[in-house]
Amino acid sequence: MEELTGYVENIIFRNADNGYTVLDFVADEELITCTGIFPVVGEGENLRLSGNIVDHPTYGRQFKVTSYEVEAPADEISMERYLGSGAIKGVGQKLAARIVKKFGADTFRIIEDEPERLAEVKGISIGKAMEISDQIVGAKDIRNAIIFLDKYGLHGNKAIRIYNRFGNEIYNILNTNPYKLADEISGIGFKTADEIASQVGIKVDSEFRIKGGIQYVLSQATGMGHTYLPVDTLNEMSKDLLKVDIQSIDAQIMNLAMDGKIIIKKDAEGTSQVYLKSFYRMEESIAGMLKELNVTYKTDEEDLKKTIRRIELDESLELDDLQKEAVLAAAKKGLFILTGGPGTGKTTTITTMIKLFEEQGYNIFLAAPTGRAAKRMSEATGYEARTIHRMLEVTGNISDDDNASFGRFDRNQDNPLECDVIIIDEMSMVDISLMYALLKAISPGTRLIIVGDEHQLPSVGPGNVLKDMLASGYFSSVTLEKIFRQAKESDIVMNAHKIHKGEHVTIDNKSRDFFFLKRDNADAIISVILTLVRDKMPKYVDAKISEIQVLTPTRKGLIGVERLNGILQNFLNPAAPGKNEWSGDTRIFREGDKVMQIKNDYQLEWEVTGGYNITIEKGVGVFNGDVGIIKSINDWAKTLTVEYEEGRKVTYPFANLDELELAYAITIHKSQGSEYPAVVMPIMDGPKMLMNRNILYTAITRAKKCVTMVGDADVFYSMIDNTSQAKRYSGLKDRIKEAFIE
């Protein structure tokens, strides 16, 4: 371990999220590049650094800092350099020189203890003197706070956000109620606060701890798709987490309700539903907005039928009775739901609706939850479709809602969408928060048509919007059932419908697009998958290797996402000279890797570039399920760049790489709304709740040209027979009923 003492000449680079900084440092009149975590150090500051000299393969000799101390300027030259560095707003080099000339070695004591005396210097008023003092003292306070927070594992931008929120109150908070951090600072969870609490000696049965734990359990439940938990379930989960008795938990549930942090409702059976306040308010608001849209318009039915017949002739379409009923209902109702499985003519029905509304002079918006789904909607209808996020004009700001993970959209109740009809496809993917944002941007009098397959898996995010709306019984809906001639030629479509009905399908491999290759162990299954993905499928379906998608029911295990991705990465994108890579604790990202964004990030910026790398479009927001390719990894800047669909490039600081994972294989849940030229699916025995008919149906319907399953045929048939699904607690149906009864 070596030590350097000197001052910061220049900040070359700083990652705002984790404080990683590259700077020029002057020690003994020698300039050396230093790297390390310096979240608040500025130019001109005097530091004592501990670390080691390293030789970087690209950037040469550097001093890698492991720890540092800020030292007060010890001489007049250092004082003048610091004051004139630009770190103190309103003080330039000339004014700094006058201050130090006036007060000499006593300068910093004067600034801190007798700041009014700075007004003795020409050009400094009393007001400016106090501002200078506040900045010097404030910088000292924040440095001390950052060092204090660092002891508890709170680093970089996280520590700065804590200080900005609480100021010097943090010392008292961390010693008495660190759970306040989890309650008020996004990105700091209960477990972090609990670790701090154990370090400072807070009791296990502390009121603060139990309240924080209950809210943590409810928050974690939203990650499993729930908008609420039954009180008994909440009690048991909280007891497992906190290791305290149920009576203590019950008492704090009531206290949280009285504090307005949670909402408790009774369902029809008298069971208490416990919500985080934000999710209850969303369900309640959604129900009210749906009721507002659910109006009936006066129409001439005979005239509508004539128009539909003419559209059929003009467009060479032939609608069945249910499709015609759906088009009529969409024309009559302010809110209409169209459902149906693959090959039942949903796209033809949507296209006819669009033609009908166009004839009436209506302005129509089409949207879907993901980029892939929107692209498919555009290709199928011939009309432009966008993602819901882009239609709502997502911004990089965080909303004022209680849950800071919700994004803010420029389109809302104060700036609604300017159109007459909105058609949303792949509605099963829309979670409660996106539905809330969408409805806020739709003004009364606008028609909303939602389209989906209720037998697909529910949304990745919390809620069960499509199923709850249908189950409420308050909205006009049509379910298409007839499989059309062209679709009947596809065994993917026909077998998907058979599986949905619980029928055992034939797997004799005489099909052109539906195959089952029997293998009896994980290694044999994976060997076949590797051959299919790299050698067979790209030629068979005329697609790139990156377009062939491996789908699996599980994350863990012998054929889970985590193991498969490691194997597929080494097979499809092995390490090579000149190919940069980043290594985390358990992961490696390599240039050329296929990756997926695994959380909504409303603040990530993207850009599309044209010739000569000129930016032609910019925006914000990358969303759960977006898939792209790693284009570059910059070890010097500590960044990784991914190119998503439509050429959108996003640069991630290394600190944010927990938002990405390899996507050669993904879970079937993550494939919702996507369509791939070919799907390859390993099948082995696994958890019953994941090895069911719904999962199998969703996986098969993701394939456009070919689906190939590899594994155990008995498990395949048992999945068809297994109708059990993980219970999802969602109260929107109840809120809709309450709204209509009122």
Side-chain angles (χ1 to χ4, degrees):
M1 189 74 70
E2 300 178 52
E3 278 196 353
L4 294 179
T5 301
Y7 65 91
V8 179
E9 172 77 10
N10 178 42
I11 302 288
I12 299 170
F13 167 81
R14 173 171 285 144
N15 182 322
D17 288 304
N18 63 5
Y20 177 83
T21 304
V22 181
L23 54 83
D24 285 334
F25 191 74
V26 177
D28 296 328
E29 299 185 356
E30 181 185 356
L31 187 70
I32 184 168
T33 300
C34 297
T35 64
I37 306 299
F38 304 94
V40 290
V41 165
E43 293 175 358
E45 294 207 60
N46 292 272
L47 306 177
R48 181 186 297 276
L49 309 179
S50 297
N52 294 291
I53 296 287
V54 296
D55 283 312
H56 191 281
T58 305
Y59 303 109
R61 183 171 171 266
Q62 299 178 340
F63 189 76
K64 188 174 182 180
V65 179
T66 54
S67 65
Y68 72 94
E69 293 177 15
V70 178
E71 298 192 325
D75 54 58
E76 294 179 21
I77 293 172
S78 298
M79 291 177 185
E80 185 178 325
R81 183 173 54 240
Y82 175 66
L83 289 173
S85 67
I88 309 302
K89 188 178 177 183
V91 178
Q93 290 178 352
K94 289 183 179 179
L95 184 54
R98 291 205 299 274
I99 293 170
V100 175
K101 185 177 180 181
K102 172 72 177 174
F103 299 112
D106 214 20
T107 296
F108 271 71
R109 188 196 65 76
I110 295 289
I111 290 172
E112 291 182 24
D113 298 337
E114 301 177 68
E116 67 280 356
R117 288 192 58 195
L118 288 174
E120 297 172 17
V121 177
K122 185 180 178 182
I124 299 180
S125 64
I126 283 289
K128 188 168 185 177
M130 302 313 291
E131 282 180 18
I132 293 169
S133 177
D134 286 346
Q135 288 183 69
I136 296 282
V137 173
K140 188 176 179 181
D141 285 346
I142 193 170
R143 277 200 300 269
N144 291 337
I146 296 298
I147 292 166
F148 174 74
L149 290 168
D150 187 70
K151 297 175 188 174
Y152 297 100
L154 300 167
H155 314 295
N157 196 36
K158 195 177 286 184
I160 293 169
R161 284 192 291 118
I162 293 170
Y163 182 80
N164 288 342
R165 171 68 182 84
F166 298 114
N168 288 329
E169 194 187 346
I170 59 163
Y171 304 101
N172 181 51
I173 288 171
L174 260 71
N175 284 311
T176 59
N177 179 20
Y179 302 100
K180 193 175 177 73
L181 302 183
D183 198 25
E184 299 193 28
I185 306 288
S186 64
I188 296 177
F190 170 81
K191 292 196 172 180
T192 299
D194 210 30
E195 284 177 19
I196 296 169
S198 67
Q199 290 179 54
V200 299
I202 290 173
K203 291 180 179 179
V204 171
D205 60 354
S206 154
E207 174 187 330
F208 296 133
R209 181 172 185 267
I210 297 173
K211 281 182 176 179
I214 291 165
Q215 292 178 91
Y216 174 74
V217 168
L218 287 170
S219 177
Q220 290 296 101
T222 66
M224 296 182 278
H226 309 303
T227 58
Y228 74 87
L229 286 177
V231 69
D232 290 346
T233 305
L234 175 59
N235 273 329
E236 287 302 319
M237 292 173 72
S238 299
K239 182 182 176 183
D240 288 345
L241 173 72
L242 298 167
K243 311 301 181 195
V244 298
D245 59 76
I246 295 290
Q247 290 77 13
S248 299
I249 294 166
D250 268 332
Q252 296 311 326
I253 287 174
M254 296 313 299
N255 285 338
L256 283 167
M258 286 188 284
D259 293 343
K261 297 284 188 181
I262 63 174
I263 304 287
I264 303 174
K265 291 288 290 185
K266 296 276 189 185
D267 65 14
E269 288 75 41
T271 302
S272 292
Q273 306 169 334
V274 186
Y275 286 85
L276 288 172
K277 184 176 74 173
S278 56
F279 284 95
Y280 177 78
R281 296 298 180 214
M282 275 194 286
E283 284 191 351
E284 188 180 48
S285 297
I286 287 169
M289 291 186 284
L290 290 173
K291 183 183 178 184
E292 271 196 339
L293 293 176
N294 193 47
V295 297
T296 301
Y297 295 100
K298 289 182 180 179
T299 55
D300 184 329
E301 188 162 325
E302 286 306 311
D303 190 45
L304 284 173
K305 286 179 179 178
K306 287 178 185 175
T307 304
I308 292 168
R309 282 197 292 272
R310 182 161 41 77
I311 290 169
E312 285 183 278
L313 288 171
D314 291 347
E315 302 296 325
S316 301
L317 302 174
E318 188 176 344
L319 305 184
D320 71 3
D321 290 342
L322 281 174
Q323 288 176 301
K324 290 174 185 174
E325 182 186 331
V327 178
L328 283 169
K332 293 176 185 177
K333 293 289 184 179
L335 177 57
F336 174 70
I337 305 171
L338 176 67
T339 67
T344 55
K346 293 194 297 293
T347 299
T348 301
T349 309
I350 294 169
T351 304
T352 308
M353 289 175 184
I354 293 169
K355 296 289 183 186
L356 179 67
F357 289 131
E358 275 189 327
E359 292 211 1
Q360 295 174 333
Y362 291 163
N363 187 19
I364 306 152
F365 284 178
L366 307 184
T370 67
R372 282 175 176 263
K375 184 178 179 183
R376 206 167 75 240
M377 193 182 190
S378 294
E379 291 169 351
T381 63
Y383 291 82
E384 181 195 5
R386 294 171 287 176
T387 64
I388 297 173
H389 289 91
R390 292 188 80 173
M391 180 177 74
L392 296 179
E393 298 173 21
V394 65
T395 73
N397 299 321
I398 295 299
S399 77
D400 296 327
D401 289 307
D402 293 343
N403 188 322
S405 65
F406 305 147
R408 175 174 287 167
F409 299 92
D410 280 344
R411 294 293 178 175
N412 50 42
Q413 64 270 33
D414 300 320
N415 182 30
L417 294 164
E418 296 171 8
C419 62
D420 304 299
V421 181
I422 296 171
I423 303 176
I424 306 292
D425 199 8
E426 294 286 359
M427 189 65 195
S428 63
M429 294 183 65
V430 175
D431 64 22
I432 200 80
S433 57
L434 187 56
M435 187 64 171
Y436 175 63
L438 172 66
L439 291 174
K440 282 202 300 181
I442 300 176
S443 54
T446 304
R447 283 177 167 82
L448 175 62
I449 298 162
I450 58 182
V451 184
D453 181 352
E454 63 174 310
H455 304 299
Q456 296 285 344
L457 292 169
S459 58
V460 174
N464 219 351
V465 176
L466 178 60
K467 284 189 177 179
D468 279 355
M469 287 180 67
L470 289 166
S472 75
Y474 282 98
F475 308 111
S476 176
S477 66
V478 169
T479 300
L480 302 179
E481 295 171 351
K482 178 183 174 182
I483 303 172
F484 284 84
R485 178 180 55 79
Q486 189 174 354
K488 284 182 178 178
E489 296 172 5
S490 166
D491 287 322
I492 294 173
V493 171
M494 298 307 294
N495 286 339
H497 282 277
K498 287 178 182 177
I499 287 167
H500 166 59
K501 294 174 184 174
E503 298 175 16
H504 282 208
V505 302
T506 303
I507 49 174
D508 57 9
N509 292 333
K510 293 181 180 178
S511 169
R512 290 180 299 172
D513 62 4
F514 192 96
F515 302 99
F516 196 104
L517 306 179
K518 295 178 183 179
R519 297 293 186 275
D520 59 6
N521 68 76
D523 289 342
I525 290 170
I526 292 170
S527 178
V528 172
I529 288 173
L530 295 175
T531 303
L532 287 170
V533 172
R534 190 178 71 175
D535 303 325
K536 302 290 186 183
M537 281 297 146
K539 296 174 188 174
Y540 190 71
V541 298
D542 189 25
K544 300 174 185 174
I545 290 175
S546 61
E547 294 176 311
I548 312 302
Q549 189 61 58
V550 178
L551 300 181
T552 182
T554 61
R555 288 197 61 81
K556 307 286 185 181
L558 294 174
I559 57 161
V561 163
E562 292 174 7
R563 181 170 188 242
L564 282 173
N565 269 321
I567 295 170
L568 286 161
Q569 180 191 44
N570 288 333
F571 189 75
L572 300 175
N573 187 34
K579 187 186 290 185
N580 292 337
E581 58 181 52
W582 170 89
S583 297
D585 292 339
T586 58
R587 301 177 301 157
I588 294 173
F589 287 140
R590 198 171 285 142
E591 290 174 345
D593 274 339
K594 181 178 177 182
V595 291
M596 174 183 279
Q597 174 81 11
I598 58 171
K599 61 178 281 191
N600 289 339
D601 190 325
Y602 296 92
Q603 295 180 293
L604 268 179
E605 297 179 356
W606 55 263
E607 65 175 10
V608 179
T609 55
Y612 302 103
N613 213 31
I614 296 170
T615 300
I616 56 177
E617 187 181 1
K618 296 177 79 171
V620 293
V622 185
F623 305 106
N624 193 351
D626 285 355
V627 174
I629 303 293
I630 296 176
K631 290 297 182 181
S632 65
I633 296 174
N634 188 326
D635 192 50
W636 169 253
K638 305 293 180 185
T639 59
L640 177 153
T641 301
V642 178
E643 183 172 327
Y644 290 101
E645 287 188 332
E646 301 171 332
R648 292 177 302 132
K649 291 180 181 175
V650 178
T651 297
Y652 293 80
F654 283 177
N656 286 17
L657 293 186
D658 59 343
E659 296 186 12
L660 291 176
E661 67 181 23
L662 293 172
Y664 298 102
I666 63 174
T667 62
I668 294 162
H669 276 89
K670 289 285 191 181
S671 72
Q672 291 166 260
S674 297
E675 187 177 67
Y676 312 100
V679 163
V680 179
M681 180 182 175
I683 292 188
M684 277 181 68
D685 204 9
K688 188 178 180 184
M689 297 307 287
L690 292 175
M691 308 302 291
N692 62 40
R693 184 186 300 173
N694 197 210
I695 290 271
L696 187 61
Y697 174 81
T698 300
I700 288 168
T701 54
R702 298 307 90 207
K704 185 176 182 180
K705 296 181 180 179
C706 182
V707 61
T708 305
M709 286 160 285
V710 187
D712 189 329
D714 291 337
V715 174
F716 171 71
Y717 287 124
S718 71
M719 289 179 76
I720 296 174
D721 296 335
N722 179 13
T723 57
S724 64
Q725 294 182 47
K727 173 70 176 172
R728 180 169 282 219
Y729 298 112
S730 169
L732 181 59
K733 181 179 77 171
D734 294 338
R735 305 291 84 76
I736 290 169
K737 288 183 176 179
E738 290 166 2
F740 276 86
I741 289 167
E742 286 173 9

